[in-house]
Amino acid sequence: VVVGVLDPDRHVAGRGVRHLRQAGIEIVTDILEDHEIESVDPAYFHHRRTGLPFLTVKAAATLDGQTAASDGTSQWITGEEARRDAHMLRSTVDAVMVGAGTVRTDDPRLNVRIPGYEGPQPKPVIVLGSQPIPATARIWERDPIVIAAGPADVRGTVIEAAGMDGGIDLSIGMARLAEMGYLDVLVEGGARLAGSLWKAGLVNRGILYLGGRVAGGIGIGHFKSVFETLTDATSVQISDVRMVGDDVRIEWRV
């Protein structure tokens, strides 16, 4: 039996290997590096070590780094092929998460819309703010999970994640998501939510689509927070760069 890597779950790690060896079965290990094996299912390994889901922040931006204009408009920065690739990305995750502002502005369904696709749909997750979400929003049709600071009179499953400041503690919310079985989560919007997750140290991967457009001014960036000095920047590993139609897709990991 070839074992790629031991399960990091402390409840089972090494138990299967011991049973096999006791039965006289030869075990072969160390064929590949651990990270090569874990890349097959990074969310599982991340969750077993941290209790948190593996978070990917996805955004589309102009070449000068603007994800939307100052009036909030962003459709469409990238072309059709990049948007199709983003839907394929949705098909690989357990849940797609947005902030309430994105629901009010874009009225998304957060599902996979590819002709002929018959696979599983990701669970929609909304991080609720202080402003209400319209009862007519299409997202309610998909029985979303709503992360709120306290009890919320909304359709769907509510996760209460109260922070010390009266707001939402995203770390609590993410841990509850993982407990419910949502280990691979794609964050699609917006800059405020992405900035809060980044500041909390919860982001593990980023996928950025750069469209062939130059904004020529300051609109809305990828993360809504203050970048005061270069030493505040975090070094990440750029793991993949490719053309998708006329746009560039960049993948990075913390």
Side-chain angles (χ1 to χ4, degrees):
V1 174
V2 177
V3 176
V5 65
L6 292 180
D7 192 327
D9 189 329
R10 61 183 177 84
H11 296 101
V12 299
R15 186 179 302 172
V17 168
R18 286 196 301 273
H19 285 315
L20 290 170
R21 282 182 171 144
Q22 288 168 3
I25 296 172
E26 179 186 0
I27 305 296
V28 179
T29 59
D30 299 326
I31 299 299
L32 297 172
E33 298 290 337
D34 285 358
H35 71 270
E36 294 178 276
I37 301 296
E38 293 188 18
S39 67
V40 177
D41 191 2
Y44 173 83
F45 289 94
H46 178 73
H47 171 255
R48 288 303 185 270
R49 292 191 177 106
T50 67
L52 298 170
F54 186 87
L55 253 62
T56 299
V57 173
K58 188 219 81 176
T62 61
L63 290 175
D64 49 345
Q66 305 306 303
T67 62
S70 58
D71 64 358
T73 55
S74 61
Q75 298 180 348
W76 296 103
I77 290 175
T78 56
E80 185 175 343
E81 290 186 51
R83 297 197 295 274
R84 176 185 173 85
D85 187 81
H87 276 272
M88 289 296 295
L89 181 61
R90 283 183 181 179
S91 74
T92 67
V93 300
D94 300 322
V96 179
M97 182 167 64
V98 297
T102 296
V103 176
R104 289 191 298 270
T105 301
D106 297 340
D107 193 21
R109 285 174 283 180
L110 303 182
N111 58 349
V112 181
R113 298 188 300 280
I114 299 174
Y117 177 76
E118 297 180 355
Q121 291 287 349
K123 187 72 170 179
V125 179
I126 306 168
V127 178
L128 195 64
S130 58
Q131 299 297 318
I133 297 175
T136 56
R138 294 184 296 181
I139 200 67
W140 299 126
E141 300 170 5
R142 300 200 56 228
D143 187 30
I145 294 173
V146 178
I147 300 175
D153 184 17
V154 296
R155 283 179 280 174
T157 302
V158 176
I159 292 177
E160 294 185 32
M164 298 294 291
D165 59 356
I168 294 174
D169 186 323
L170 289 169
S171 295
I172 295 175
M174 295 307 99
R176 289 289 308 281
L177 271 183
E179 290 172 3
M180 296 169 69
Y182 301 102
L183 306 187
D184 205 339
V185 179
L186 179 64
V187 182
E188 291 204 358
R192 184 185 299 277
L193 175 59
S196 296
L197 290 166
W198 179 260
K199 187 176 180 180
L202 296 168
V203 176
N204 305 107
R205 178 175 71 154
I207 294 180
L208 177 63
Y209 297 92
L210 288 176
R213 293 172 179 264
V214 174
I218 301 298
I220 299 174
H222 196 172
F223 300 103
K224 191 168 184 179
S225 57
V226 177
F227 180 38
E228 294 182 346
T229 181
L230 188 59
T231 56
D232 290 342
T234 300
S235 294
V236 299
Q237 178 187 16
I238 297 177
S239 55
D240 184 66
V241 180
R242 71 180 82 161
M243 293 296 298
V244 181
D246 294 327
D247 306 311
V248 179
R249 182 188 190 273
I250 302 174
E251 181 173 343
W252 53 268
R253 297 205 180 200
V254 177

